[in-house]
Amino acid sequence: FAEYQSIQAVQATMILSTLFCCVAFLVFILQLFRLKQGERFVLTSIIQLLSCLCVMIAASIYTDRHEELHKSNEYGIEVSEGQYGYSFVLAWIAFAFTLVSGVMYLVLRKRK
């Protein structure tokens, strides 16, 4: 299947994005107890923005390869009439939310 690498790239970057989100949450909890008052959650923000980048890469790859993926003769069923599904829409929504979350962590300061 010629487009198999594209599918694997999308899967890998989405999994990497999920891992980055989990790590960002754990780093946030750690920084919550370690940072001095008034400091920013910069490390958490960087990790969250990396997660945002991974989601964007995955959704962009799938958007670019959508036609080739659905016109392949490798499938046992007819998928040439395939449409973008709800998962595709959710991926772009996840991109927007992780971007907003990363920016909010960058602006956020620790309070008493």
Side-chain angles (χ1 to χ4, degrees):
F1 183 37
E3 296 297 325
Y4 187 64
Q5 291 87 7
S6 299
I7 298 280
Q8 281 187 325
V10 170
Q11 290 172 342
T13 51
M14 289 304 281
I15 290 170
L16 195 59
S17 170
T18 304
L19 291 175
F20 277 140
C21 276
C22 293
V23 169
F25 177 71
L26 294 175
V27 169
F28 172 72
I29 296 297
L30 182 72
Q31 285 184 328
L32 197 58
F33 296 108
R34 297 294 230 187
L35 283 180
K36 295 177 186 173
Q37 183 179 353
E39 291 186 13
R40 296 186 186 272
F41 296 93
V42 176
L43 182 60
T44 304
S45 174
I46 290 169
I47 296 171
Q48 194 71 12
L49 290 172
L50 283 173
S51 174
C52 173
L53 181 68
C54 287
V55 172
M56 184 190 69
I57 289 170
S60 297
I61 290 171
Y62 186 77
T63 302
D64 182 53
R65 297 290 177 196
H66 181 262
E67 279 189 42
E68 289 87 5
L69 290 170
H70 287 275
K71 289 188 178 178
S72 175
N73 293 328
E74 301 289 326
Y75 294 110
I77 57 173
E78 180 65 33
V79 294
S80 62
E81 300 297 321
Q83 300 174 352
Y84 293 112
Y86 67 91
S87 296
F88 178 75
V89 174
L90 284 176
W92 282 112
I93 291 172
F95 164 71
F97 280 139
T98 54
L99 180 64
V100 168
S101 175
V103 171
M104 285 178 64
Y105 277 133
L106 194 59
V107 173
L108 187 66
R109 290 178 183 254
K110 184 176 178 186
R111 298 185 182 194
K112 269 190 176 180

